[in-house]
Amino acid sequence: MKKYALVTGGSRGIGKAVCVKLAEDGYYVIVNYKSNKTEAENTLSVIKNNGGNGELLKFDVGNPDDVNQNLGNWMEQNPDKHLEVLINNAGIIRDNLMVFMPDEDWNSVISTNLHSFFYVTKLLLQNMLIKKNGRIVNIVSLSGQKGQPGQVNYAASKGALIAATKSLAMEIGKKKVRVNAVAPGFIKTDMIEHMPEEELKKIIPLNRFGTVEEVAEAVSFLASEKSSYITGEVISVNGGLYS
Ligand code: NDP
């Protein structure tokens, strides 16, 4: 039987690598994106060129109406397709010292990185619970584990997502639905292209930034039966920067 997975923010970076990896693992992948259709189409091409399959689904994860309309419609139109894996990956940064941070940058980061978890997961959760078949992986961050100056908004969103991961895991373990998180350190994507790699890598024990594929491996593990006794856990993929 076909297995279905939804990856939010699948058009670029870590989300793209996760889409490609889950397709290799045998999932039909729903590739969500916000605005970058060309990049999303590219993700789908890579999936198909590797012999996998999937489709695009555009919605803004931080907008409940958009989530309910687009993802809700997809679910109504595909009642036979059980989304058994959800990867909450879409995220943004709006870095600034808190004293200078506009309200808009606080709100947009909390909406996109945290509220999105509630909107998207809630829609899929009921079916996972009824079918007793579901794995949820939230992409959090090193910042949410240890804090980071200039990222009060981002660290708050990811720290809260870690707490939500642990709490939801406790709520639904009996229903055989697992919830875990992956906490990347510095991973080479558009999100951190402005950061000074040569300088920063000196403080990383493995002495380099990570790749999107290295994060996707951890996500794939948590989405698979190989991690069947792991829930409420945070796996760091950070080159030894923090544990
Ligand atoms: P990128 O900026 O490279 O890609 C972000 C992705 O999220 C894009 O696909 C983008 O879609 C999508 N996205 C952004 N906002 C929304 C939205 N409102 N609705 C739907 N999709 C959206 O980010 P990364 O790959 O670097 O980051 C992925 C995740 O990993 C994030 O949660 C981030 O916080 C986390 N992370 C990243 C680290 C890193 O070093 N890169 C470190 C720690 C955590 P579109 O193309 O349409 O804009």
Side-chain angles (χ1 to χ4, degrees):
M1 213 175 74
K2 241 188 197 169
K3 305 184 293 181
Y4 295 86
L6 167 64
V7 181
T8 67
S11 47
R12 291 180 289 121
I14 292 169
K16 177 178 182 177
V18 169
C19 288
V20 171
K21 177 65 186 156
L22 290 180
E24 276 172 22
D25 292 344
Y27 290 92
Y28 179 96
V29 182
I30 314 298
V31 181
N32 158 256
Y33 66 103
K34 183 182 178 189
S35 50
N36 209 326
K37 190 168 186 211
T38 311
E39 292 294 332
E41 280 169 344
N42 182 267
T43 300
L44 196 54
S45 300
V46 177
I47 288 174
K48 289 183 175 170
N49 288 341
N50 289 351
N53 205 357
E55 67 188 88
L56 304 186
L57 193 59
K58 179 179 189 288
F59 58 87
D60 177 348
V61 293
N63 178 330
D65 294 337
D66 211 26
V67 172
N68 288 330
Q69 197 180 330
N70 292 290
L71 181 55
N73 277 354
W74 186 92
M75 290 169 68
E76 266 176 39
Q77 282 161 18
N78 297 279
D80 52 321
K81 296 178 181 164
H82 172 50
L83 287 167
E84 63 182 78
V85 165
L86 165 62
I87 315 299
N88 286 307
N89 164 78
I92 57 167
I93 49 172
R94 295 285 181 273
D95 294 354
N96 210 333
L97 295 177
M98 180 153 153
V99 70
F100 302 122
M101 188 178 288
D103 290 6
E104 164 55 22
D105 287 358
W106 172 266
N107 290 329
S108 60
V109 167
I110 299 290
S111 292
T112 306
N113 299 1
L114 178 61
H115 293 167
S116 59
F117 157 78
F118 180 73
Y119 305 144
V120 177
T121 307
K122 201 169 169 214
L123 258 188
L124 268 51
L125 197 53
Q126 198 179 6
N127 275 341
M128 289 182 177
L129 297 176
I130 290 169
K131 296 201 159 50
K132 292 197 168 69
N133 178 10
R135 276 88 61 214
I136 299 162
V137 182
N138 298 319
I139 308 301
V140 294
S141 169
L142 175 71
S143 296
Q145 295 172 297
K146 66 171 269 297
Q148 190 64 30
Q151 293 198 321
V152 168
N153 50 358
Y154 182 75
S157 72
K158 297 295 188 176
L161 191 49
I162 291 172
T165 302
K166 294 179 180 183
S167 303
L168 184 61
M170 288 174 177
E171 279 185 21
I172 62 180
K174 278 194 185 120
K175 298 287 184 188
K176 300 189 193 318
V177 179
R178 296 186 292 111
V179 194
N180 289 291
V182 170
F186 293 104
I187 308 298
K188 277 180 185 253
T189 69
D190 296 345
M191 182 178 274
I192 67 159
E193 66 181 357
H194 61 288
M195 294 191 186
E197 183 173 352
E198 284 311 307
E199 210 40 50
L200 286 167
K201 75 179 192 186
K202 291 181 194 154
I203 58 166
I204 303 170
L206 289 181
N207 202 231
R208 62 176 176 85
F209 280 10
T211 67
V212 290
E213 289 80 14
E214 287 170 320
V215 180
E217 285 294 338
V219 175
S220 160
F221 169 69
L222 290 172
S224 78
E225 276 307 300
K226 289 178 187 166
S227 58
S228 52
Y229 201 51
I230 301 178
T231 196
E233 190 55 78
V234 183
I235 297 185
S236 293
V237 182
N238 63 22
L241 195 48
Y242 182 80
S243 61

